[in-house]
Amino acid sequence: MKFNSFLFSIMALLMLNSCKSRTEHTFGLADSTFLLDGKPFQIISGEMHYPRVPREAWRDRMKMAKAMGLNTIGTYVFWNLHEPEKDHFDFTGNNDIAEFVRIAKEEGLWVILRPSPYVCAEWEFGGYPYWLQNEKGLVVRSKEKQYLEEYRKYINEVGKQLAGLQVNHGGNILMVQVENEYGSYGSDQEYMKINEQLFKDAGFDGLLSTCDPAKDVKNGYLHGVVPGVNGIDNPQQVKEIVNKYHEGKGPYFIAEWYPAWFDWWGTPHHTVPAKDYSGRLDTALAAGISINMYMFHGGSTRGFMNGANDKDSTPYEPQISSYDYDAPLDEAGNATDKFMQFREVIRKHLPAGQELPDVPAPKPAAALADITFTKSVSVFDLLGTPKVSTHPLTFEDMNQAYGYMLYRTTVPGGTKGWLKIKELRDYGLVFINGKRAGILDRRMDQDSLLVNLPKGQVTLDILVENMGRVNFGPNLLKNKKGITQEVTLNKKVISSWKMYGLPFDQVDNNKITGEVKNSSGPALSYASFDVSKVQDTYLDLRKWGKGMIWVNGHNLGKYWSIGPQQTIYLPAEWLKSGKNEVAVLELIKPEQKVLSSLGKPILNELK
């Protein structure tokens, strides 16, 4: 009996070791290359962000990555998604990044994880949650005590989700990136060392890396950590920079290789011809350089998650909802000509005996029948209980992350003059006794409006939209929203305000009960529509003005007639056979009653 028990124990141990040998890998560094299980390994990675793709489509997009020849997926982790309010964490649904990583493993893909609290990524506040601005004295990207404490809590929660999925723990996360392009922001090496230790304390005990534009590596690198270089692909230049900051050796890694670019409202759609980059990709891969392509697949920035650029020398530039990026995989997940050209380049550099899988067929897309709205409600009829203050309160003062805010006051009429909103952030519709008097737009440096007030007491309403917090540069520290200073009429400060929060984080269709009618004020409209064959479509907003759209409870993002984006991508995964529901918040053309759709997007039409 004892012998049988001993034999069983030996067999169990052998089986355990056999299982571990099949699932555990090693990942390390040689002088010029990465080593996977002790053998040279060239990372051919493409960036793809889990919140920009419906969870139901993650696996399909990863199959496309494999078909192009990628062996790795890169993704940021977004603090403001996972801790939308202080100490409230969410890793469910489309935020389930651990599942995203596990699916990548099932599809034969490694992962480069980029969980820096700051991500840039054309994402709201660069990934920071809005509420950090309510912590008095807190300074992001610094050694300030409160920031480091909130950062520590966040990264520990991320570690609970993902540290066990590192390659040295049997998972598929090859590397974890510390901070993100810090060299473009500062040069405090002590701060970077604190970052490194926070990551290690959170359980990220595998290979760490950094990521900086070539000219800024000197500020952002960490001694002993793999320095990723952004924005260049000349092998000699890459090697010279990495050698300089990594003890005279590699491996050589382009952390962000840009074969494309992003868009912002009011400017042409950016495109980069594939032929201009396929040769450069070939040269980099032939030289043994590892790359992370930014982006391989952009997807869509839905809800209120778009960021904005704002430098002292350039205007405020809020980014559009489409994150198509002119990437190899388009917004809907279909292969482009760029995809096919890059696939042929990568095929040349595959290990001996390895073949690429066939490219999956394009997803079908078609126009729906026109949708006619039958119910509508004025936004002014959706107001709850206001907060009252002598001076205007910001979104942050109201503990409101995103959306809209209505500022209301009364002023004596019978006068004409200039209404000025100091530091309006970002877009304001001005109403006098319920009628729209004008629009002010931060992009255009518009902060003043000539108004003619009728006699008597006049109700002055200013509906302000948060169009996205700055995600890059020194103005990260100037990111409060709404009316952030004061309002004057003929240089006299207006006081005594009521603030009504309109976050529109969700839409209750049951509150949209009235008949559609013409109105000068913003309106929320509702319709139901039937779908017989579920497939992708693109909602055509060219006849509309500015607003947001929800289908079956999913916020599809913002639209604006100025372009360049004129359509909103509606993925098949979020449609149902039979009855579907749509709601539209329209700010400037509430008289619109019909919504059309197309079988293809319009991303390059300016008005």
Side-chain angles (χ1 to χ4, degrees), residues 447-477:
D447 65 358
S448 301
L449 179 71
L450 185 62
V451 294
N452 192 358
L453 303 182
K455 293 181 180 179
Q457 285 295 106
V458 172
T459 299
L460 172 66
D461 288 322
I462 306 171
L463 181 66
V464 177
E465 178 185 356
N466 166 4
M467 290 176 57
R469 290 182 179 85
V470 175
N471 62 263
F472 182 81
N475 288 331
L476 276 175
L477 304 178

Side-chain angles (χ1 to χ4, degrees), residues 157-212:
E157 292 295 326
V158 174
K160 291 175 186 177
Q161 298 288 322
L162 297 169
L165 301 180
Q166 294 172 103
V167 67
N168 53 318
H169 294 276
N172 57 323
I173 297 174
L174 292 180
M175 283 196 304
V176 179
Q177 181 183 294
V178 178
E179 245 283 357
N180 184 59
E181 296 187 319
Y182 175 71
S184 301
Y185 186 81
S187 58
D188 187 337
Q189 283 294 300
E190 184 182 359
Y191 166 72
M192 287 298 291
K193 291 299 291 184
I194 292 171
N195 277 259
E196 180 183 14
Q197 191 59 51
L198 285 170
F199 272 58
K200 290 180 177 179
D201 292 345
F204 293 113
D205 54 0
L207 195 63
L208 300 178
S209 66
T210 58
C211 155
D212 290 288

Side-chain angles (χ1 to χ4, degrees), residues 377-448:
V377 62
S378 168
V379 168
F380 294 144
D381 291 334
L382 296 175
L383 304 179
T385 303
K387 284 190 177 180
V388 178
S389 172
T390 301
H391 305 290
L393 300 176
T394 65
F395 278 54
E396 291 74 15
D397 294 332
M398 296 277 286
N399 294 312
Q400 180 176 318
Y402 314 113
Y404 309 82
M405 188 86 68
L406 182 70
Y407 294 81
R408 173 169 288 175
T409 190
T410 57
V411 293
T415 186
K416 183 177 182 180
W418 285 98
L419 181 76
K420 179 181 175 67
I421 306 175
K422 189 175 181 181
E423 291 295 327
L424 169 68
R425 298 180 185 164
D426 302 299
Y427 186 86
L429 295 94
V430 179
F431 299 86
I432 296 173
N433 288 341
K435 294 184 178 180
R436 194 175 76 215
I439 296 174
L440 301 175
D441 185 347
R442 177 183 176 185
R443 296 176 315 116
M444 313 298 290
D445 287 330
Q446 295 170 343
D447 65 358
S448 301

Side-chain angles (χ1 to χ4, degrees), residues 202-379:
F204 293 113
D205 54 0
L207 195 63
L208 300 178
S209 66
T210 58
C211 155
D212 290 288
K215 65 181 178 60
D216 298 322
V217 173
K218 64 180 182 296
N219 296 327
Y221 84 102
L222 259 170
H223 182 72
V225 170
V226 177
V229 184
N230 296 354
I232 62 172
D233 52 20
N234 179 288
Q236 187 60 36
Q237 286 181 296
V238 173
K239 290 179 179 180
E240 286 177 358
I241 292 171
V242 172
N243 288 342
K244 183 175 181 180
Y245 296 103
H246 197 233
E247 301 173 346
K249 57 186 180 182
Y252 306 104
F253 178 48
I254 303 171
E256 293 186 10
W257 182 70
Y258 306 113
W261 206 242
F262 63 92
D263 293 332
W264 52 94
W265 292 112
T267 58
H269 176 49
H270 294 85
T271 58
V272 180
K275 62 181 178 61
D276 292 355
Y277 274 79
S278 55
R280 296 163 71 166
L281 176 61
D282 190 17
T283 299
L285 295 182
I289 307 291
S290 288
I291 68 160
N292 180 47
M293 189 179 300
Y294 195 101
M295 299 289 295
F296 158 67
H297 173 51
S300 309
T301 308
R302 299 182 175 90
F304 298 99
M305 287 296 113
N306 69 279
N309 281 345
D310 182 37
K311 302 176 184 177
D312 293 336
S313 59
T314 57
Y316 172 75
E317 298 169 339
Q319 290 120 17
I320 68 172
S321 300
S322 170
Y323 204 59
D324 176 87
Y325 216 91
D326 192 37
L329 207 63
D330 71 13
E331 185 174 8
N334 296 312
T336 65
D337 176 62
K338 187 175 289 183
F339 178 104
M340 301 307 292
Q341 289 195 40
F342 287 180
R343 170 182 157 94
E344 290 309 307
V345 171
I346 295 170
R347 189 200 296 270
K348 293 169 53 179
H349 301 281
L350 293 176
Q354 184 175 324
E355 296 291 333
L356 293 180
D358 293 338
V359 179
K363 296 175 67 183
L368 303 170
D370 284 357
I371 300 168
T372 300
F373 288 89
T374 55
K375 296 180 180 179
S376 181
V377 62
S378 168
V379 168

Side-chain angles (χ1 to χ4, degrees), residues 103-125:
I103 292 173
K105 184 178 182 181
E106 291 168 5
E107 294 301 322
L109 290 161
W110 304 101
V111 169
I112 294 172
L113 191 70
R114 312 213 285 162
S116 164
Y118 169 72
V119 299
C120 189
E122 291 70 62
W123 194 264
E124 224 277 341
F125 202 1

Side-chain angles (χ1 to χ4, degrees), residues 34-104:
F34 294 103
L35 293 176
L36 180 62
D37 296 334
K39 298 178 181 178
F41 180 74
Q42 185 174 27
I43 296 171
I44 307 177
S45 176
E47 188 91 2
M48 182 172 81
H49 300 148
Y50 55 100
R52 284 175 159 141
V53 179
R55 178 183 174 132
E56 301 89 338
W58 287 346
R59 190 178 300 274
D60 289 341
R61 301 300 193 271
M62 290 175 185
K63 289 183 184 297
M64 296 297 291
K66 289 287 287 186
M68 198 177 82
L70 302 183
N71 55 33
T72 306
I73 289 292
T75 185
Y76 285 122
V77 185
F78 300 84
W79 188 355
N80 55 12
L81 289 185
H82 297 299
E83 195 181 4
E85 299 292 342
K86 185 174 179 176
D87 297 328
H88 172 71
F89 290 94
D90 180 8
F91 291 93
T92 63
N94 239 91
N95 292 347
D96 189 354
I97 185 172
E99 180 65 9
F100 180 84
V101 172
R102 284 190 287 264
I103 292 173

